Amino acid sequence: MVMEKLKVLHVDIGGCEGCNVSIIRAYPKLMDSVELDISYLRDGECMYDEYDVALITGGVCMNEPRIGEELKEIREKAKVVVAFGSCAALGGILRFCRGGQAPRPDHRNFQPINSVIEVDYSIPGCPPTPQMLQSFFKYFMAGNETRLRLFKVTAGVKKLSGFDLIDDVVLTGLCIGCGACELSCPTGAIKLIDKRPTLAQERCIRCGTCYIRCPRASQIICLGGVKT
Amino acid sequence: MMPVGETLLGQIRAVYLGRATDEEILKRKVASGGAVTAMLTYALEKDLIEGVVTAKRTKGLEGEAVVARTKEELLETAGNRWSIVPFAARIKAKIEEEDLKKVAVVCLPCQAQFFGQMRDFPILETDFGNRIKYIVSLFCMGTFAFEAFLNYLRVKYGVRAEEIEDIRLSREFLEIHRETGVLAIPLKEAFSYLQTGCLVCSDYTGVWSDVSAGFVESEPGWTVLITRNQRGEELVRGAEKEGYLELRDGSHVLGDVLKKAREKLARAQRNMAQLL
């Protein structure tokens, strides 16, 4: 029996292209199971009216109504929406846009896409590796919801960062000093001092990787202790 | 064998009771059957892995991350771990320093979760999950906030950290072994010195591991082994086939393990309501 390939749409709504490159790098190993509709590989509009999965990269600029509309259209077309990368998932570094800055002083506010539409899975990372996407599809196609639970739960959260990790896990006394966060920070913002993480706040890019990699934090949000 | 189901104990392939066949391993073990040491000795000697990264007690309750490459080195690390080692960062340094391509980690459920998540979902380019061949998690009711615990031992019992040779767990007591004898502290008293994080942890066996290993009161001298996937199954069965491990079916003890897991979950839910 030939399995029909998953129809996957990729749409970037404004980011640095890091996530897009990651998706393209992941594609060779996904070709057998996934048909990827991505702007780099076609001219003009997207190919189909309906998709199994939409991968969205980049954050929503709330000062661009057009993007909100576009997201809603994608939500209509796709059975499952995945926010891929920290900007789409949690706001990420785009949270630093606050208006009045070159080159687009009119861009005053960016949000993760779950501020505009319902998201099924959020995959933080700045950017997530190609292997991460391959893994995601492996578990998704196997219907393994248990393994994907963390990403499912993260889809309901709007902001996770080193600050949240410090607030929720360290300052509550729940940290046991395992060091997972220190290893997970892409910018080296977290260092263990006296067996507890300390955040160099000017280095934190709000990607949220430390939070979902912290055994305690990820366990708590998976148990329903969802942050709002 | 049981169906694969997602329960409080995670995904289960099979449950065994295991015991090392090697006299030397058995001699050094107190409560359990030395199955973890036996399995990993098999993996090392058959070149399935280059090293085992685990924790070793240095002094008092302090530990450090070490790489064991032989049975001897493994035996030095065997035994209960009472304090968590900031394992993750040091394990990476260890793996990279020694350029290990295939390692097994022996760890607690929370660490198994980190390694398992990293291996299954490599978010970062710097992740090293592909080097971790086996994740072996030990059953865990929590680890001590050891500065606080040691201070309490010193103040109440006059025990200095450097005198502690071993810490063992019996049914109702925590036994502190010193050259001068054994001090038995009621568990109830000791448990208030667990780390706060452990009090909200809901994972008793280590659901992200390949193999979980632990002890049940009803089977003294045996290690309970829960395999979770093909990888874990191959490790356990391979060790049996090559004569390192004696195996029995362990389905009948799953209820005991589940009971402990429920206790831990109930404790976590109770404490979460208070702490968060």
Side-chain angles (χ1 to χ4, degrees), chain A:
Chain A
M1 188 182 103
V2 182
M3 280 282 286
E4 199 156 325
K5 288 187 186 183
L6 273 190
K7 286 202 183 87
V8 178
L9 172 69
H10 166 255
V11 177
D12 181 63
I13 55 170
C16 73
E17 305 278 325
C19 295
N20 312 6
V21 170
S22 197
I23 292 170
I24 280 286
R25 283 174 61 203
Y27 192 36
K29 282 196 174 161
L30 290 170
M31 280 180 172
D32 293 340
S33 50
V34 161
E35 182 189 357
L36 181 65
D37 185 2
I38 186 166
S39 60
Y40 304 125
L41 301 177
R42 62 163 144 80
D43 293 324
E45 296 298 299
C46 59
M47 295 192 288
Y48 304 107
D49 294 333
E50 287 189 344
Y51 291 88
D52 296 305
V53 177
L55 294 174
I56 299 177
T57 54
V60 194
C61 178
M62 301 306 268
N63 315 106
E64 294 258 20
R66 180 181 58 79
I67 293 186
E69 292 310 309
E70 190 183 357
L71 279 177
K72 287 172 190 157
E73 283 166 28
I74 297 165
R75 182 68 266 191
E76 294 284 304
K77 281 183 200 162
K79 290 195 192 92
V80 169
V81 170
V82 179
F84 189 73
S86 290
C87 290
L90 300 164
I93 201 165
L94 288 178
R95 291 198 173 274
F96 288 84
C97 290
R98 49 185 172 72
Q101 299 161 297
R104 292 294 300 270
D106 48 325
H107 284 183
R108 302 185 304 284
N109 175 298
F110 278 81
Q111 290 283 321
I113 59 174
N114 61 9
S115 287
V116 178
I117 56 170
E118 198 168 319
V119 174
D120 298 292
Y121 300 96
S122 280
I123 300 174
C126 192
T129 58
Q131 293 80 6
M132 174 68 228
L133 190 65
Q134 290 156 0
S135 261
F136 171 79
F137 278 118
K138 183 178 94 184
Y139 290 106
F140 177 72
M141 286 171 166
N144 191 335
E145 281 300 317
T146 313
R147 272 294 195 253
L148 294 178
R149 180 157 172 78
L150 182 58
F151 304 107
K152 189 88 171 169
V153 172
T154 305
V157 182
K158 285 194 183 182
K159 179 177 84 75
L160 292 177
S161 71
F163 291 82
D164 298 291
L165 183 81
I166 300 289
D167 281 350
D168 299 354
V169 178
V170 185
L171 301 186
T172 49
L174 301 182
C175 170
I176 49 174
C178 76
C181 52
E182 183 181 35
L183 271 191
S184 305
C185 179
T187 63
I190 297 177
K191 287 279 168 286
L192 284 192
I193 297 176
D194 289 339
K195 301 194 177 78
R196 294 292 178 263
T198 301
L199 182 71
Q201 33 179 303
E202 66 282 2
R203 298 181 74 118
C204 175
I205 54 170
R206 275 50 170 199
C207 74
T209 313
C210 59
Y211 200 97
I212 69 156
R213 276 286 176 83
C214 165
R216 188 63 52 241
S218 54
Q219 211 181 49
I220 289 171
I221 60 174
C222 285
L223 278 175
V226 169
K227 296 171 62 74
T228 42

Side-chain angles (χ1 to χ4, degrees), chain B residues 13-65:
Chain B
R13 270 295 271 274
V15 185
Y16 303 102
L17 289 160
R19 189 164 62 182
T21 52
D22 184 322
E23 284 303 318
E24 200 181 349
I25 295 178
L26 286 175
K27 213 166 54 213
R28 297 230 210 155
K29 300 299 267 182
V30 197
S32 67
V36 174
T37 310
M39 270 183 336
L40 295 171
T41 302
Y42 149 75
L44 281 172
E45 290 181 357
K46 299 291 172 201
D47 290 329
L48 302 175
I49 51 174
E50 296 162 331
V52 177
V53 188
T54 183
K56 182 174 165 182
R57 208 151 54 82
T58 45
K59 61 176 188 2
L61 295 173
E62 287 269 11
E64 61 171 2

Side-chain angles (χ1 to χ4, degrees), chain B residues 48-169:
Chain B
L48 302 175
I49 51 174
E50 296 162 331
V52 177
V53 188
T54 183
K56 182 174 165 182
R57 208 151 54 82
T58 45
K59 61 176 188 2
L61 295 173
E62 287 269 11
E64 61 171 2
V66 292
V67 177
R69 294 168 180 270
T70 62
K71 182 176 87 180
E72 271 317 301
E73 290 172 357
L74 264 184
L75 279 170
E76 284 174 22
T77 68
N80 288 322
R81 256 336 115 249
W82 290 104
S83 73
I84 200 158
V85 175
F87 219 3
R90 275 197 250 159
I91 204 176
K92 183 169 189 234
K94 280 264 181 243
I95 287 176
E96 286 175 354
E97 274 161 30
E98 312 202 13
D99 194 28
L100 300 164
K101 302 270 189 295
K102 291 181 297 193
V103 298
V105 288
V106 181
C107 53
L108 302 177
C110 49
Q111 296 163 326
Q113 182 170 350
F114 170 69
F115 293 125
Q117 284 182 339
M118 183 172 65
R119 197 176 62 184
D120 280 359
F121 301 114
I123 294 178
L124 296 135
E125 297 281 352
T126 52
D127 281 344
F128 52 96
N130 55 354
R131 296 178 180 224
I132 298 174
K133 188 154 179 193
Y134 300 115
I135 300 171
V136 180
S137 172
L138 308 173
F139 295 1
C140 178
M141 262 318 222
T143 58
F144 286 108
F146 60 93
E147 296 95 338
F149 184 60
L150 288 174
N151 193 42
Y152 155 78
L153 287 182
R154 192 177 54 82
V155 171
K156 180 158 180 183
Y157 296 101
V159 176
R160 293 194 321 279
E162 54 273 20
E163 300 176 81
I164 300 173
E165 286 171 351
D166 199 3
I167 294 186
R168 295 177 196 167
L169 187 65

Side-chain angles (χ1 to χ4, degrees), chain B residues 237-271:
Chain B
R237 293 293 207 160
E240 179 197 33
K241 197 164 144 243
E242 297 290 336
Y244 287 78
L245 197 61
E246 187 185 342
L247 279 189
R248 293 160 47 204
D249 176 51
S251 315
H252 62 285
V253 299
L254 202 60
D256 296 358
V257 179
L258 192 59
K259 191 162 160 275
K260 285 282 223 196
R262 283 210 183 95
E263 273 173 39
K264 195 171 177 182
L265 178 66
R267 182 179 80 182
Q269 288 172 326
R270 229 182 14 251
N271 289 319

